[in-house]
Amino acid sequence: MRVTGNTIYEHDEHGAVLVIDVHHVFNEYDLETGSGELHSRVVRYTPDWDDYGPMPGSIQATSIDDFRELLGDEVRTFEPLEPQAETDE
């Protein structure tokens, strides 16, 4: 299963979680060639979010392999609301 960012998944341990993104962690990376030696991939996710995004301090990270072991089905794509400025009208 491919894990993608801005997606809500069922998780065996946390219930519904919002996957923020998936990062590649490199041992070495050459900026000129744009490639490197991949060390691992990590996923950043949160079990606590509202309609605007993750709650401060709730973001967790783990290896993608460990995360997939407890991952269930994709629920839906997360589409955050745009904040609306209040007017004096």
Side-chain angles (χ1 to χ4, degrees):
M1 165 190 269
R2 181 183 167 116
V3 178
T4 57
N6 287 325
T7 306
I8 298 169
Y9 292 92
E10 283 297 324
H11 190 272
D12 291 346
E13 185 177 329
H14 299 294
V17 297
L18 169 61
V19 171
I20 300 164
D21 48 28
V22 179
H23 291 282
H24 297 272
V25 178
F26 291 91
N27 288 332
E28 297 177 2
Y29 192 82
D30 185 347
L31 294 174
E32 291 182 17
T33 64
S35 63
E37 179 185 327
L38 183 64
H39 173 70
S40 66
R41 292 185 341 161
V42 295
V43 61
R44 289 185 343 131
Y45 68 96
T46 180
D48 299 312
W49 75 92
D50 62 12
D51 289 335
Y52 296 101
M55 300 313 241
S58 69
I59 298 172
Q60 302 177 36
T62 189
S63 78
I64 191 78
D65 294 330
D66 291 344
F67 187 74
R68 276 192 185 129
E69 288 179 11
L70 300 173
L71 195 62
D73 294 331
E74 178 180 328
V75 176
R76 66 179 169 87
T77 301
F78 178 72
E79 297 178 19
L81 296 175
E82 292 294 324
Q84 300 293 320
E86 293 184 19
T87 60
D88 292 335
E89 294 178 11

